[in-house]
Amino acid sequence: MQSVDRAVSILQVLATRGPSGVTEIAEELGVHKSTVFRLLATLESRGLVEQDTERGRYRIGYTMVELAAGASKVNDLSLLSRPVCQELAAAVGDTVNVAIHDGHDVITIDQAIGAAAIKSIDWVGRRAPLHATAAGKLFLAHMPPGQVAEIFARGAEKYTPHTIVDPTTLAAALETIRERGYATTSEEHEIGLAAIAAPIRALDGKVIAAVTLSGPTFRIDEDTVPGLAEQLLAAAAKISWRRGYVKRG
């Protein structure tokens, strides 16, 4: 099983870094060069990697393209995340959504409703503002500062008395999000509603979506957020793993 795990790790390194030598791969994975060379030989024999004989570097082979073509048929993010979201919604009782970033908004692409949800609102396909939602603030926290400034230069609508519209206050909030790994909102978009968001990452580690947990403020508050966030982060990590992301270190 260790050999299989290392072979997959080699493919992930090549997919992320592009053509690489044995030494580079060994250093990235922290394993001996002889082990990497042996696994590369096996992968090459099946067409999963190819070697540039002149430069001695390896790259993803055409067999991987065939496998990827098959995987793309079931690699829709909503399909990959749905079982995880349904499991989490059943465990916590509230609504779990998956959202993506589009321009100045977030769009919900899938939803699972827990048994304790007070009201059933279908958010799928709906847009919501970046600065007033947990998912949106998570995306902002992983954007370049210049891009965040550009978004706020167009003005930020105040939806409730709790909506953050001051750039300095938002910058501090985004720093907190980066430090703890998840975002929260409490009545910033809608009175009585609170939410937590955790990142879904692609193979290269970039944040491509967010999984969110939302519910009434009397259930999602300062006392319950840490425990709920831990469950949400675990769900996000599981979805990210399904997308091919493996956290290093």
Side-chain angles (χ1 to χ4, degrees):
M1 291 300 293
Q2 186 181 54
S3 294
V4 174
D5 181 69
R6 286 175 173 172
V8 172
S9 295
I10 289 173
L11 293 173
Q12 290 178 322
V13 169
L14 294 177
T16 303
R17 298 183 53 167
S20 304
V22 174
T23 300
E24 294 172 280
I25 298 171
E27 290 176 350
E28 176 74 17
L29 299 180
V31 299
H32 199 275
K33 288 194 294 183
S34 62
T35 300
V36 172
F37 184 80
R38 175 174 55 82
L39 291 171
L40 282 168
T42 301
L43 292 171
E44 186 177 17
S45 70
R46 299 302 300 270
L48 294 170
V49 302
E50 297 175 347
Q51 184 181 20
D52 183 333
T53 54
E54 293 185 3
R55 302 178 62 187
R57 298 167 73 81
Y58 290 84
R59 60 178 178 266
I60 292 294
Y62 283 108
T63 299
M64 284 296 295
V65 177
E66 294 176 358
L67 294 175
S72 66
K73 298 175 183 177
V74 295
N75 201 28
D76 180 79
L77 181 57
S78 61
L79 293 178
L80 286 174
S81 61
R82 188 167 299 149
V84 180
C85 292
Q86 289 174 337
E87 182 180 4
L88 180 60
V92 300
D94 279 309
T95 301
V96 178
N97 291 339
V98 173
I100 59 172
H101 168 222
D102 183 51
H104 292 231
D105 302 319
V106 296
I107 303 175
T108 298
I109 62 170
D110 204 16
Q111 177 174 279
I113 300 176
I118 292 178
K119 54 182 180 180
S120 177
I121 301 176
D122 186 2
W123 287 98
V124 177
R126 293 194 183 190
R127 290 179 175 267
L130 284 170
H131 68 287
T133 58
K137 291 202 295 185
L138 185 76
F139 292 133
L140 288 171
H142 291 88
M143 287 181 191
Q147 190 175 352
V148 177
E150 181 184 341
I151 290 172
F152 263 70
R154 298 180 58 179
E157 183 177 347
K158 198 170 182 66
Y159 293 90
T160 77
H162 306 287
T163 307
I164 300 175
V165 294
D166 175 62
T168 302
T169 304
L170 178 69
L174 298 184
E175 179 60 31
T176 298
I177 292 168
R178 286 188 287 269
E179 290 175 356
R180 66 187 181 187
Y182 63 89
T184 62
T185 54
S186 182
E187 300 189 308
E188 294 176 39
H189 188 219
E190 182 180 328
I191 293 297
L193 184 68
I196 314 169
I200 297 173
R201 298 179 184 273
L203 175 65
D204 59 3
K206 291 182 180 179
V207 176
I208 57 169
V211 57
T212 70
L213 171 64
S214 60
T217 51
F218 64 79
R219 276 207 299 266
I220 301 178
D221 57 23
E222 291 183 356
D223 295 327
T224 62
V225 161
L228 292 172
E230 185 176 351
Q231 295 180 75
L232 189 66
L233 285 166
K238 191 171 185 178
I239 297 170
S240 298
W241 175 80
R242 286 174 168 235
R243 289 281 303 181
Y245 173 70
V246 178
K247 185 177 180 180
R248 305 295 181 188

